[in-house]
Amino acid sequence: MSQTDFLYLMPLLILTFAVLISMLVIAAWRNHKIIYVITALSFIAAFGSLFELRTTTAYVIEPMFVIDGFGVFYIGMILLTSLLVSMLSYAYFEQREERKEEYYLLLVLATLGACVLVISTHFASLFLGLEILSISLYALIPYLRTRPRSDEAGIKYLILAAFSSAFMLFGMALVYFSTGTMVFSGLAQSIAGMQELPLLLLTGIGMILIGVGFKLGIVPFHMWTPDVYEGAPAPVTAFIATVSKGGVLGLLIRFFMEIDGFRYPVLVTILTIVAIASMFAGNLLALMQKNVKRILAYSSISHLGYILVAFMAGNQMGVEAITFYLVAYFITSVGAFGVVAMLSDKNSDAELLEDYKGLLWRRPWTAAVFSAMLLSLAGIPLTAGFVGKFYIIAAGINDQLWLLVVMLVLNSVIGLYYYIKIIAVMFQQPETEREPTIRLRPSIYVASAGTLAVLALLLVYVGVYPTGLVQLIQNVLVSVPEIVAK
């Protein structure tokens, strides 16, 4: 590897060294605040190093990685989201007696895995990034072992993730057997002249999509989502909903655009069915829930269905819509789970609807932020979620995906009910006088309330003035020829 290669991999190297430094510090002296500061500084430093990588041309590190505008933007989005999650985590874990320091090692490693995914162009680097992410989540999900349902969530994710990895590996083997290559561009060249994919190759790509579908939590691979969201600590749930799924989605976009998978009717039909099933299953199952974390879990399934509408467009506008929607979804999801984390005590998370009854009268600012996040998820105007959903519908109409667009609009109406239900509970008068709110130490208060305030401002800013973000996304996609050419 050359010196330039190391420069372009600097964000990943910073995260790697941060893990090593944190391990040495923990071995010498356990201190929650110090490890948190190291983690936050590593995310900031890694994000700062991205400004050295701004380029209009893609830089290829053969045969594993490509660093282009798309990859740099997604890495930046992942790093900033992980920074916000770490800030929420500090406030969340400071109230608890469990050992907290190892949590940040796992958080940085999971972020590293997601960053590797979005710049991968080879099955080996794809699997490496996926396993770094997954193995970290194996430990993050049941981190609070004394909690009820914590171990259950961890074991479910472990077993199902192992099955999905096996499917993906077998699919990679079939693709390699059929084409003799494990590089995305090599696979694209092998199938360039084919009108229909051979059965063995189609099976291999299908098994890879099964592995990706599990990580995204789309139907029919969604069964783990509500249990894991409920059992994991609130900041970990926020991480899974955003960074984990965002990294895998970035990989899926690069892979499909590279091989031009939209040319094959079989793959298009399968993805169309999955998108519609995800929208309906997520929204209809969310209607029956009384647990806020489970409602947001099923909501995430439906939102992935919405994203697949833009994905099916298979062109530059579709990728722009996905990327914008992901930014909006990251803001709203971290904000929503941030409120859950802020209201949680040292014994349990604030996950039942009863926990939010009369919140407006007890904590008006917290209720206002949570309401804004839920309205954004519902796609109400003046929020980032509305503009993101509008962008997705525009991409679908531009490609004449009328069935998917109609299903999206119909499911948006269905989803509005359970978001309004949570808001209505917050606006109710409390039946009994609640205990006075415990005042947090200034450092904890800044970490939690400050994070939520920033997210609320971003939510409204992107909803009112989306032009800046849209132009930024369009500019970074210029360096990705396989996207611009569509």
Side-chain angles (χ1 to χ4, degrees):
M1 291 181 67
S2 66
Q3 184 177 353
T4 309
D5 291 345
F6 281 107
L7 174 64
Y8 275 87
L9 290 176
M10 188 56 65
L12 308 186
L13 295 176
I14 290 173
L15 295 180
T16 304
F17 282 115
V19 172
L20 297 175
I21 292 170
S22 296
M23 289 177 65
L24 293 174
V25 172
I26 290 172
W29 183 30
R30 283 187 172 273
N31 188 292
H32 183 207
K33 185 177 291 186
I34 290 176
I35 301 301
Y36 159 69
V37 170
I38 293 173
T39 301
L41 289 177
S42 69
F43 289 140
I44 294 170
F47 182 78
S49 69
L50 293 176
F51 289 94
E52 297 295 323
L53 309 183
R54 290 179 298 176
T55 176
T56 56
T57 58
Y59 184 83
V60 180
I61 301 177
E62 294 287 357
M64 296 290 187
F65 304 112
V66 59
I67 292 88
D68 50 18
F70 176 83
V72 169
F73 185 87
Y74 271 69
I75 289 176
M77 187 166 58
I78 287 168
L79 290 172
L80 286 179
T81 306
S82 296
L83 174 63
L84 293 171
V85 170
S86 69
M87 294 173 69
L88 294 172
S89 300
Y90 176 71
Y92 182 85
F93 282 98
E94 186 66 12
Q95 307 175 59
R96 285 156 180 79
E97 298 178 359
E98 291 91 351
R99 290 192 168 183
K100 316 164 182 75
E101 292 79 13
E102 288 82 2
Y103 168 85
Y104 295 94
L105 299 180
L106 297 167
L107 184 68
V108 176
L109 280 173
T111 304
L112 175 63
C115 292
V116 169
L117 283 176
V118 298
I119 59 173
S120 293
T121 58
H122 192 284
F123 285 151
S125 56
L126 182 164
F127 192 72
L128 177 67
L130 198 65
E131 288 306 293
I132 293 174
L133 173 62
S134 298
I135 292 173
S136 302
L137 290 178
Y138 294 162
L140 282 172
I141 290 168
Y143 194 81
L144 299 176
R145 292 173 297 172
T146 57
R147 287 272 191 90
R149 299 185 303 278
S150 179
D151 288 341
E152 177 189 349
I155 291 171
K156 281 183 178 179
Y157 189 82
L158 170 65
I159 295 173
L160 293 173
F163 272 109
S164 72
S165 296
F167 270 102
M168 182 173 282
L169 273 178
F170 195 62
M172 292 176 184
L174 292 178
V175 170
Y176 181 70
F177 177 79
S178 302
T179 62
T181 182
M182 299 182 75
V183 183
F184 295 174
S185 57
L187 174 60
Q189 293 173 6
S190 299
I191 66 176
M194 298 180 184
Q195 296 300 319
E196 292 185 5
L197 294 174
L199 181 60
L200 201 60
L201 181 58
L202 180 62
T203 304
I205 293 176
M207 295 184 80
I208 292 173
L209 290 179
I210 288 174
V212 171
F214 169 83
K215 299 299 179 186
L216 293 176
I218 53 179
V219 174
F221 317 108
H222 65 290
M223 299 305 293
W224 62 272
T225 309
D227 294 328
V228 168
Y229 274 45
E230 183 182 7
V236 176
T237 308
F239 185 88
I240 296 171
T242 55
V243 173
S244 175
K245 294 186 178 182
V248 175
L249 198 57
L251 164 73
L252 181 63
I253 292 170
R254 190 181 293 281
F255 176 68
F256 243 72
M257 288 293 178
E258 187 79 55
I259 69 172
D260 197 12
F262 306 101
R263 292 187 294 122
Y264 305 104
V266 175
L267 294 178
V268 171
T269 302
I270 291 172
L271 289 174
T272 301
I273 294 171
V274 167
I276 295 173
S278 297
M279 286 187 273
F280 274 104
N283 282 314
L284 293 177
L285 290 171
L287 293 174
M288 299 180 282
Q289 305 301 317
K290 295 184 179 179
N291 184 300
V292 172
K293 290 172 79 174
R294 293 183 76 89
I295 289 174
L296 293 174
Y298 284 116
S299 166
S300 73
I301 297 171
S302 64
H303 282 280
L304 264 297
Y306 302 156
I307 289 174
L308 285 178
V309 175
F311 180 76
M312 293 300 296
N315 52 30
Q316 183 177 351
M317 187 177 183
V319 177
E320 290 173 8
I322 293 171
T323 306
F324 187 97
Y325 196 85
L326 274 182
V327 173
Y329 183 70
F330 277 27
I331 293 171
T332 51
S333 291
V334 174
F337 285 111
V339 171
V340 174
M342 189 176 183
L343 296 177
S344 301
D345 57 36
K346 63 181 181 180
N347 298 315
S348 62
D349 284 352
E351 57 187 38
L352 299 177
L353 281 175
E354 281 295 318
D355 297 328
Y356 295 84
K357 193 168 186 178
L359 183 64
L360 177 68
W361 314 107
R362 293 182 284 120
R363 292 188 175 184
W365 291 110
T366 305
V369 170
F370 197 26
S371 298
M373 299 301 167
L374 293 171
L375 292 175
S376 179
L377 288 171
I380 300 301
L382 299 182
T383 64
F386 169 76
V387 182
K389 199 166 287 186
F390 182 84
Y391 213 155
I392 285 182
I393 291 174
I397 292 175
N398 185 61
D399 209 55
Q400 299 184 353
L401 303 174
W402 301 111
L403 175 61
L404 287 172
V405 169
V406 171
M407 294 297 104
L408 189 156
V409 173
L410 176 60
N411 277 275
S412 295
V413 175
I414 298 173
L416 185 62
Y417 173 79
Y418 55 81
Y419 294 126
I420 296 297
K421 180 172 70 173
I422 300 175
I423 295 174
V425 170
M426 290 192 291
F427 277 62
Q428 290 178 7
Q429 286 282 358
E431 295 177 358
T432 57
E433 190 69 25
R434 296 289 183 121
E435 293 182 6
T437 304
I438 300 173
R439 289 191 174 274
L440 301 175
R441 294 206 307 269
S443 59
I444 302 177
Y445 186 79
V446 170
S448 56
T451 304
L452 293 178
V454 169
L455 289 168
L457 290 174
L458 283 173
L459 181 80
V460 177
Y461 177 78
V462 175
V464 174
Y465 185 72
T467 308
L469 180 58
V470 171
Q471 290 177 344
L472 176 62
I473 293 171
Q474 290 173 343
N475 291 336
V476 299
L477 292 182
V478 171
S479 64
V480 191
E482 61 267 22
I483 293 177
V484 176
K486 303 301 179 187

